[in-house]
Amino acid sequence: MTDKKNTVYLKSIRFLEKIEDSLLIALLLIMISMAVLQIILRNLFDSGILWADPLVRTLVLWIGLIGAMIASRNNHHINIDIITRYLPGLAQKISTLIICIFAAAVCSIMTWFSVAFVRMEKQDGMTAFADIPVWICESIIPVAFAVISVRYILLSFSALKDIFMQADQ
Amino acid sequence: QSSQAFTLKIATLSPEGSMWMEKMREGADQVTKQTHNRVVFKFYPGGVMGNDSAVLRKIRIGQLHGGAVVGGSLSQFFPANQLYAQPMKFKSLEEIDYVRKHMDSFIINGLDNAGFVTFGLIGGGFAYIMSQEPIETVENLRSQKVWIPDNDKISQDSIKAFGIAPIPLPIADVRTALQSGLINTVGTSPYGALILQWHTQIKYVTNIPLIYLHAVLAIEKNSFLKISPEDQKIVSQIMTRAMHEIDTQNRLDDIIAIETLKKRGIVFINPSKEARAEWYRVADAASEEMIRSGVLPKKVADRLDALLDEFHSKTKTVSQSQK
Amino acid sequence: MIYLVIAILILLAFLGAPLFCIIIAAAMTGFYMSDIHLSVMAIELFRIADTPILLALPLFTFAGYLLGESNTSSRLVRLTHAFFGWMPGGLAIVAFIVCALFTAFTGASGVTIVAMGALLYPALKQAGYNDNFSLGLVTTSGSLGLLLPPSLPLILYGVIAQQMNTGEQISIEKLFIAGILPAILMIVLLSLYSIWTNRKTPVPLTAFSFSKAWSAMREAIWEIPLPFFVFTGIYTGFFAVSEAAAVTAMYVLIVEVFIYKEIKMAQLASIIRESMVMVGGILLILGVSLAFTNYLIDAQAPMKLFKICQYFISSKLVFLILLNIFLLILGAILDIFSAIIIMVPLMLPVAINYGVNPTHLGIIFLANMQIGYFTPPVGMNLFIAGYRFNKPIMAIYKATIPFMLVLLAAVLIITYWPWLSLVLIS
Ligand code: NA
Ligand code: NA
């Protein structure tokens, strides 16, 4: 029974990861096409899309944060990592656990306050470009940090499991 | 002691060492002295807190209490503060002086109702069309690569009337873009052109005032009301005086800047009578558009026009009586 | 209390906690203690969307990854071998020059390391340079070129300095010209070092052969135009930097996928994914660093530090020495634009007081900041290189320190020999 539960769980995670990956790829292709289209319009037709530049700049933020979400799947973020490699096995696992809990906590706090920010912006009701509200552009910030927090919580659980497995041996 | 020390954190795009900052610091020192350290200013110059929209967000969350910002940035709170930004509305500084005497209070009240205490408007002089190729007619302008500030909806809207496809860029990139030829036409005040060193990249100025620029020192009202009423009075008095000094100095600096541009061999083009008429016709259409889209209440725009007529009839009588 | 927090954060960093979390935690602690609502973090992060130059990061990175995944690096090696094979240090010198020009218009935001590094790192190793040297070269080159036009920091320095009414004329043109000899000095010293350090395991020299050159050129015929139209496109103003980046990405995509056919369609998705994950890792750090910088500015920390330094100044020499030290530290922790905006108005009057030419000060300022980018332990480009090439940070430190020392020598020459900066403008 637990096996069945596990496969459903894994399948839904795979599915969500697929969505992230596709979104990231689609956004980059949109970004390149928009930028090239803008050059063609500007140089050949003496015209241009006024909202193309702000759109493309917003895409930079979105691509960056979605990329960061994906990087968190296996804790593949920039780190300094000077001590860990010299630690013995168990200590290394404990330090991994501490780090994942720390990251989860920090990102949860970030999520909380970026939700507050986006709600404030929604109240203000400003538009960014082409009648799209600013808060929609900003909404990727809380979403990204929420996803990253969840990932680090999951990584904490698996680090905990590793520690118990080592202790059992 | 009833009132605690209160620090007003103010951000601005003007860099440290500029006349603006010096006047504001002078004012701040006087406030500190006269309130016996109950009110202290902390300045963040040079745009270190981000552009105007970032500054306004930081005011919203209370990290900052105010900012010296350009008029356009506050139009989200009170659109009609763009009253003087109607294209080619004014033909001389005398006209604007007369109108401002009567209408500045309208903008100040409007901003106050929108939650910002200001200390008088600071005029930034007229923006002119400055270009690398001579522009005499509207038709000339249409074939140029024209810059407009990015994220400035009002100038984007009003420029539509001129029938051009502008290139939106942030101010920081304009100089490089002029140098590389990505753009060849900008609209800015003569003083602004000198400060930003755009003047080395342009050859011509179309000698029709484009729009009148203004800025304000705006402090978020709720923060300001936390200061005791007596201290509010002191801050208002001193800062209004400082802003007035900046306003006056700006007017002088702009006149000197025009001379400097001429001395450097930049040609001021005076369009012919027909060309002029065409400019004004198109510009009027842009003003109409501002009214139609609801940015500018018709009543207010009409009042401004009436003031201009009043000014013209007065000066006419003066010049006639002098004859 | 605050010291305890700092100690814990440092410990967590050394245990390998994600750097962005450390920076967020530090910034939030600071903001919290200053009674500032923590949603300021999101406001600062959103400034990424207000920074046009960052558009170059994903686009050039994608192009760099495509070139790195196809056989471009071996074609590049063959090409430089054919043309510069007679010259000791051929590829290394070419790499320095190309990276410097690339950084001049992309800024030192790490684009050079990620995009050019993808191509140059394997190329250098294929050409016979050892791993350590190649790694150090690519990391160092990430900020080489800040002194060359049209570098934005140089323009910003000019705008700020000229507004200050110091009585001396400072123009951006003058700054551009003043930066040229110092930049050349840096490249020459680095090139000499490269030749010297590889003397025991030299890359064998070959005489120029026309047929070899011809065949190498024919092989790379689709890639040779790329640097030319990027550089001339930007320097002649046909396109803006962001546009050049978009055109490059599009061009490389077409050439590698449809002409050389070295990248299969199925591979493309994973290349986009990998390259953008890299971009995400870097952008997140840049974004939260903006927030941390904002905290330092809010607390007016750099100004206070400068005041302490000022206390020790007694002569021009002492001023210059302190300036070097101070700017190296600043370059490692503050983003370059904030550093210029905050520090130039404070430093310039002091500098002029001690007889330092303002144009010269600009060159000193940027030359120091350039090294700050890869000064251990916290120079940003070190982390970016470690991330990009999947190396432990210690290995990056080791590989980069010799290059840093060479550039430090260059900076000392630039600082204490004003002639170098000023001869072309006087
Ligand atoms: Na770079
Ligand atoms: Na830095």
Side-chain angles (χ1 to χ4, degrees):
Chain A
M1 200 195 106
T2 42
D3 257 17
K4 213 173 185 182
K5 250 188 191 165
N6 247 332
T7 28
V8 172
Y9 169 74
L10 283 177
K11 261 189 185 162
S12 44
I13 286 205
R14 288 283 135 69
F15 179 69
L16 290 174
E17 293 187 351
K18 263 255 158 63
I19 293 180
E20 274 178 332
D21 287 352
S22 322
L23 195 60
L24 187 66
I25 292 165
L27 291 182
L28 180 77
L29 294 177
I30 291 173
M31 180 198 252
I32 297 175
S33 325
M34 277 311 280
V36 171
L37 177 70
Q38 187 77 340
I39 301 168
I40 293 172
L41 287 177
R42 209 169 264 174
N43 288 298
L44 300 184
F45 299 98
D46 269 335
S47 70
I49 308 168
L50 265 179
W51 45 265
D53 296 80
L55 167 68
V56 166
R57 272 187 276 132
T58 307
L59 285 179
V60 175
L61 178 76
W62 279 62
I63 287 174
L65 287 177
I66 295 173
M69 277 156 57
I70 296 175
S72 319
R73 282 180 200 165
N74 46 5
N75 186 20
H76 184 60
H77 276 286
I78 297 181
N79 63 4
I80 302 184
D81 193 14
I82 290 177
I83 304 177
T84 328
R85 61 187 63 244
Y86 304 108
L87 292 178
L90 186 62
Q92 212 174 67
K93 282 177 180 142
I94 293 174
S95 94
T96 308
L97 176 65
I98 294 172
I99 283 163
C100 291
I101 293 174
F102 167 71
V106 166
C107 294
S108 305
I109 301 174
M110 264 307 273
T111 312
W112 178 267
F113 284 102
S114 31
V115 167
F117 167 62
V118 172
R119 287 176 65 171
M120 249 188 272
E121 294 278 292
K122 195 178 169 191
Q123 260 176 30
D124 285 352
M126 302 261 296
T127 55
F129 50 86
D131 292 330
I132 292 177
V134 176
W135 72 268
I136 299 266
C137 302
E138 295 161 338
S139 61
I140 190 67
I141 300 175
V143 170
F145 278 101
V147 170
I148 296 174
S149 326
V150 171
R151 290 231 154 98
Y152 274 105
I153 291 170
L154 295 179
L155 286 170
S156 308
F157 281 129
S158 70
L160 201 61
K161 217 168 93 189
D162 275 1
I163 292 173
F164 281 121
M165 273 167 66
Q166 172 137 15
D168 278 351
Q169 279 170 8
Chain B
Q1 213 171 0
S2 59
S3 49
Q4 273 187 322
F6 195 87
T7 307
L8 286 168
K9 293 160 81 182
I10 309 287
T12 165
L13 289 178
S14 307
E16 191 71 81
S18 60
M19 179 270 288
W20 264 78
M21 275 312 296
E22 272 168 16
K23 296 273 185 211
M24 288 214 287
R25 281 204 189 283
E26 256 173 50
D29 288 345
Q30 284 174 26
V31 168
T32 310
K33 218 179 273 166
Q34 289 194 26
T35 60
H36 303 284
N37 287 320
R38 287 189 305 272
V39 180
V40 181
F41 281 84
K42 228 181 190 182
F43 290 107
Y44 298 92
V48 283
M49 282 288 174
N51 59 14
D52 281 359
S53 58
V55 167
L56 290 168
R57 288 193 179 110
K58 288 172 182 179
I59 291 175
R60 180 94 156 70
I61 63 157
Q63 185 189 10
L64 295 170
H65 302 110
V69 294
V70 296
S73 304
L74 291 177
S75 55
Q76 61 180 87
F77 304 102
F78 178 53
N81 83 331
Q82 288 302 82
L83 180 63
Y84 304 147
Q86 299 178 68
M88 300 188 172
K89 196 64 165 175
F90 304 99
K91 297 181 181 62
S92 68
L93 283 172
E94 286 70 31
E95 281 183 6
I96 191 81
D97 286 343
Y98 186 79
V99 170
R100 274 190 60 185
K101 231 183 334 185
H102 295 84
M103 295 216 69
D104 272 11
S105 56
F106 164 75
I107 293 177
I108 292 165
N109 285 335
L111 288 173
D112 193 83
N113 290 333
F116 288 97
V117 178
T118 54
F119 307 92
L121 263 55
I122 305 147
F126 289 119
Y128 290 85
I129 297 171
M130 305 189 183
S131 54
Q132 291 169 340
E133 283 166 42
I135 296 176
E136 195 196 337
T137 62
V138 179
E139 199 48 45
N140 292 154
L141 179 68
R142 287 191 183 130
S143 57
Q144 305 303 318
K145 296 187 250 179
V146 183
W147 166 72
I148 56 164
D150 63 337
N151 290 334
D152 183 351
K153 221 174 146 2
I154 287 174
S155 57
Q156 285 177 6
D157 285 346
S158 66
I159 209 155
K160 266 187 208 148
F162 289 87
I164 49 177
I167 300 174
L169 290 172
I171 287 191
D173 291 353
V174 169
R175 193 182 176 282
T176 329
L178 273 174
Q179 194 166 26
S180 65
L182 180 68
I183 53 174
N184 64 7
T185 305
V186 298
T188 186
S189 72
Y191 187 65
L194 283 177
I195 285 295
L196 297 164
Q197 300 209 4
W198 299 351
H199 68 287
T200 57
Q201 307 297 329
I202 55 135
K203 295 198 183 83
Y204 301 96
V205 173
T206 306
N207 203 4
I208 304 178
L210 183 60
I211 54 172
Y212 185 71
L213 306 167
H214 80 265
V216 285
L217 169 61
I219 295 180
E220 200 264 328
K221 206 169 167 183
N222 292 329
S223 315
F224 190 71
L225 292 179
K226 282 183 194 145
I227 306 171
S228 73
E230 308 87 73
D231 288 348
Q232 284 177 29
K233 223 177 264 166
I234 296 176
V235 173
S236 285
Q237 231 168 39
I238 294 174
M239 279 305 167
T240 305
R241 195 168 59 220
M243 293 307 122
H244 184 71
E245 278 172 24
I246 297 175
D247 187 38
T248 320
Q249 188 61 42
N250 269 351
R251 206 175 185 285
L252 296 175
D253 284 349
D254 221 43
I255 293 168
I256 298 169
I258 291 177
E259 289 315 307
T260 314
L261 291 183
K262 284 180 179 162
K263 255 187 244 156
R264 285 176 172 262
I266 289 168
V267 180
F268 279 65
I269 297 170
N270 290 307
S272 67
K273 211 174 160 196
E274 299 83 62
R276 224 167 244 277
E278 173 71 0
W279 281 112
Y280 288 130
R281 196 188 59 73
V282 175
D284 278 345
S287 289
E288 291 292 321
E289 178 58 28
M290 283 171 84
I291 295 167
R292 200 198 55 77
S293 67
V295 167
L296 203 58
K298 185 162 171 22
K299 221 174 74 186
V300 180
D302 288 345
R303 167 113 174 84
L304 190 150
D305 289 340
L307 280 169
L308 276 177
D309 288 343
E310 202 177 289
F311 172 77
H312 290 145
S313 62
K314 266 188 194 167
T315 43
K316 224 181 245 163
T317 9
V318 171
S319 53
Q320 270 167 3
S321 62
Q322 278 172 347
K323 268 177 202 170
Chain C
M1 173 64 191
I2 185 70
Y3 294 105
L4 184 68
V5 174
I6 293 173
I8 289 174
L9 286 182
I10 291 175
L11 180 69
L12 283 169
F14 284 163
L15 283 178
L19 196 57
F20 81 91
C21 292
I22 300 283
I23 300 173
I24 291 177
M28 286 203 297
T29 309
F31 281 126
Y32 178 76
M33 310 232 329
S34 321
D35 248 343
I36 291 166
H37 196 266
L38 292 185
S39 54
V40 66
M41 300 293 298
I43 296 180
E44 286 295 317
L45 205 58
F46 191 61
R47 281 174 71 188
I48 288 178
D50 260 336
T51 315
I53 190 86
L54 285 182
L55 180 54
L57 183 64
L59 293 172
F60 277 128
T61 301
F62 171 57
Y65 264 70
L66 282 176
L67 292 173
E69 290 291 317
S70 45
N71 295 327
T72 312
S73 58
S74 50
R75 283 191 287 272
L76 175 71
V77 171
R78 238 166 290 164
L79 198 67
T80 46
H81 203 61
F83 278 91
F84 303 105
W86 52 271
M87 189 171 88
L91 182 62
I93 296 170
V94 170
F96 282 127
I97 295 172
V98 171
C99 285
L101 291 174
F102 192 73
T103 305
F105 63 75
T106 57
S109 54
V111 192
T112 309
I113 294 173
V114 181
M116 299 300 287
L119 179 63
L120 288 175
Y121 180 57
L124 284 162
K125 291 212 298 194
Q126 282 171 47
Y129 293 100
N130 73 41
D131 188 56
N132 232 5
F133 173 82
S134 311
L135 206 56
L137 186 153
V138 174
T139 311
T140 311
S141 304
S143 60
L144 200 62
L146 275 186
L147 292 177
L148 290 173
S151 135
L152 272 179
L154 211 52
I155 294 177
L156 185 63
Y157 176 88
V159 168
I160 299 276
Q162 112 53 80
Q163 173 120 35
M164 289 195 48
N165 283 324
T166 52
E168 308 222 20
Q169 265 300 316
I170 304 161
S171 74
I172 292 164
E173 277 70 22
K174 270 188 183 173
L175 279 165
F176 280 167
I177 296 167
I180 290 173
L181 285 184
I184 291 175
L185 173 76
M186 289 182 172
I187 293 172
V188 168
L189 287 186
L190 285 171
S191 303
L192 290 177
Y193 165 74
S194 304
I195 296 166
W196 179 81
T197 189
N198 289 304
R199 69 198 179 284
K200 282 185 192 138
T201 49
V203 178
L205 300 185
T206 48
F208 179 80
S209 126
F210 185 79
S211 65
K212 265 191 186 166
W214 178 244
S215 79
M217 262 180 75
R218 277 196 33 188
E219 254 184 4
I221 192 69
W222 289 100
E223 287 155 343
I224 291 173
L226 193 61
F228 290 98
F229 80 58
V230 170
F231 284 123
T232 46
I234 289 172
Y235 282 105
T236 61
F238 193 75
F239 17 77
V241 172
S242 55
E243 295 183 335
V247 171
T248 303
M250 189 68 115
Y251 180 86
V252 170
L253 182 68
I254 292 169
V255 167
E256 304 304 334
V257 176
F258 298 106
I259 296 179
Y260 284 117
K261 299 198 173 91
E262 284 166 354
I263 289 169
K264 303 270 163 298
M265 270 309 218
Q267 232 182 314
L268 191 61
S270 75
I271 291 176
I272 293 183
R273 185 180 163 282
E274 257 175 64
S275 60
M276 291 307 110
V277 168
M278 173 71 43
V279 167
I282 293 170
L283 266 183
L284 187 56
I285 294 271
L286 288 179
V288 297
S289 299
L290 276 178
F292 184 68
T293 296
N294 186 252
Y295 165 66
L296 292 180
I297 292 169
D298 191 275
Q300 304 192 314
M303 297 81 149
K304 287 174 186 160
L305 188 60
F306 183 66
K307 267 202 187 117
I308 298 173
C309 285
Q310 232 175 334
Y311 180 76
F312 296 100
I313 302 175
S314 53
S315 68
K316 181 173 177 177
L317 190 68
V318 176
F319 170 73
L320 288 176
I321 292 170
L322 281 175
L323 188 69
N324 280 329
I325 297 169
F326 182 76
L327 286 175
L328 276 180
I329 298 170
L330 215 60
I333 56 172
L334 221 58
D335 87 277
I336 194 162
F337 295 107
S338 303
I340 291 171
I341 294 166
I342 300 165
M343 297 319 299
V344 169
L346 295 179
M347 284 177 180
L348 195 58
V350 184
I352 290 175
N353 201 14
Y354 284 104
V356 180
N357 180 300
T359 304
H360 185 208
L361 181 74
I363 303 301
I364 298 176
F365 197 105
L366 291 188
N368 275 288
M369 295 293 283
Q370 179 194 326
I371 303 187
Y373 275 102
F374 57 93
T375 308
V378 290
M380 190 60 76
N381 283 0
L382 296 167
F383 299 128
I384 291 175
Y387 193 47
R388 174 63 188 89
F389 304 112
N390 212 359
K391 299 272 176 178
I393 196 71
M394 280 312 238
I396 304 281
Y397 288 167
K398 235 184 261 166
T400 322
I401 282 177
F403 290 89
M404 196 199 84
L405 293 177
V406 172
L407 281 181
L408 204 55
V411 166
L412 292 180
I413 296 173
I414 291 167
T415 307
Y416 299 101
W417 192 33
W419 182 88
L420 192 67
S421 307
L422 301 175
V423 63
L424 292 180
I425 57 168
S426 55

